[in-house]
Amino acid sequence: MQTLTPVLSIITAAFLASLVEVVEAFTIVLAVGVTRSWRPALTGAALALAVLAALVLAFGPLLALVPITTLQFVVGVLLILFGMRWLRKAILRSVGVIALHDEEAAFAKETAALHQQAADRRADYLAGLASFKAVLLEGVEVVFIVIAVGAAHGQTFYASMGALAAFILVMLVGLAVHRPLARVPENALKFVVGLMLTSFGIFWTGEGIGADWPGADLALLAIFAIVALASFAMVRWLRGIRPTAAGGLA
């Protein structure tokens, strides 16, 4: 990278995306720890982290065997698809079509399920499994984001640092307050991350097919601005037609 812009963008994208996923995983681990005990909660989380580390060690080096232009194109397309999935949900949540994600509600739901399993002799196993699944599923998305935003320009280290910072922040704050991080503006974060991932995807897909971007890496900022304006315009349009759409669905 010849400028700080892409590096800062990579760190920020990895940090924000990982922050969302880690908060969701932490909610389940906290529910297990508070409701059952911390032993199955931490055991399940640790096993999931070990599996994720093994996946990175197994598949990470394979990326070096892929030609850089092919890697940029493939990663770019995947980032566009992945980013637009986040962006679509964030837009629909912004206009009220999809309910906002509620960490307090998720915590209560998981706690109720664990209480129902309390009489089961496999209660500790089931609690640990819940923790394992939560960390593994959310962690897979973090690993994909880290590899995707970093691999196309050989900056996986910076993406990893962003993800690690998010993990440390959530653990410190979460363990300090000992409750779900319900005040994290999750939909706003997903909106921003969706914009960033989509912008990265467009930029790297273009590089993969040989596009010569005006301003080189600074073109990322222009792409981000265009995608953001289009998304905000979509939000305003949907808010304008939503009453009509709701009436038509009734």
Side-chain angles (χ1 to χ4, degrees):
M1 292 277 180
Q2 298 179 349
T3 70
L4 286 176
T5 301
V7 173
L8 293 176
S9 299
I10 286 170
I11 294 173
T12 304
F15 174 81
L16 294 178
S18 300
L19 188 66
V20 172
E21 304 297 347
V22 175
V23 165
E24 293 183 2
F26 177 79
T27 299
I28 305 303
V29 175
L30 179 65
V32 173
V34 171
T35 306
R36 189 64 191 171
S37 74
W38 284 104
R39 182 176 179 181
L42 296 179
T43 300
L47 288 174
L49 291 174
V51 172
L52 292 171
L55 290 174
V56 172
L57 292 174
F59 293 103
L62 297 178
L63 295 176
L65 304 177
V66 182
I68 185 62
T69 53
T70 302
L71 184 62
Q72 287 173 332
F73 178 78
V74 173
V75 167
V77 171
L78 289 176
L79 278 178
I80 290 173
L81 297 174
F82 199 72
M84 292 198 70
R85 180 173 70 96
W86 278 41
L87 201 52
R88 172 183 171 274
K89 288 184 178 179
I91 289 172
L92 293 177
R93 286 191 176 107
S94 296
V95 299
V97 175
I98 298 178
L100 293 172
H101 187 81
D102 187 341
E103 292 302 328
E104 292 281 6
F107 180 82
K109 180 180 179 181
E110 187 64 28
T111 299
L114 290 167
H115 278 307
Q116 290 180 350
Q117 298 169 354
D120 195 317
R121 290 183 299 175
R122 303 174 301 160
D124 281 347
Y125 166 77
L126 295 173
L129 183 61
S131 179
F132 174 83
K133 285 170 32 179
V135 174
L136 183 63
L137 292 176
E138 304 300 340
V140 166
E141 293 207 28
V142 171
V143 169
F144 169 78
I145 291 168
V146 167
I147 291 176
V149 301
H153 274 275
Q155 301 292 345
T156 306
F157 172 77
Y158 291 108
S160 301
M161 291 301 98
L164 180 61
F167 176 80
I168 293 173
L169 177 63
V170 171
M171 291 301 105
L172 290 177
V173 175
L175 292 175
V177 302
H178 215 63
R179 58 181 299 174
L181 303 182
R183 294 190 178 182
V184 174
E186 186 170 327
N187 196 58
L189 288 177
K190 286 187 174 181
F191 205 116
V192 173
V193 172
L195 292 173
M196 296 189 76
L197 296 184
T198 303
S199 301
F200 272 118
I202 294 171
F203 181 79
W204 285 333
T205 300
E207 286 204 334
I209 61 176
D212 186 13
W213 292 107
D217 292 331
L218 290 175
L220 264 172
L221 298 178
I223 296 171
F224 179 88
I226 293 170
V227 175
L229 286 173
S231 299
F232 289 131
M234 180 68 70
V235 170
R236 291 195 63 180
W237 177 68
L238 287 174
R239 283 176 176 168
I241 68 168
R242 192 183 168 221
T244 303
L249 291 173

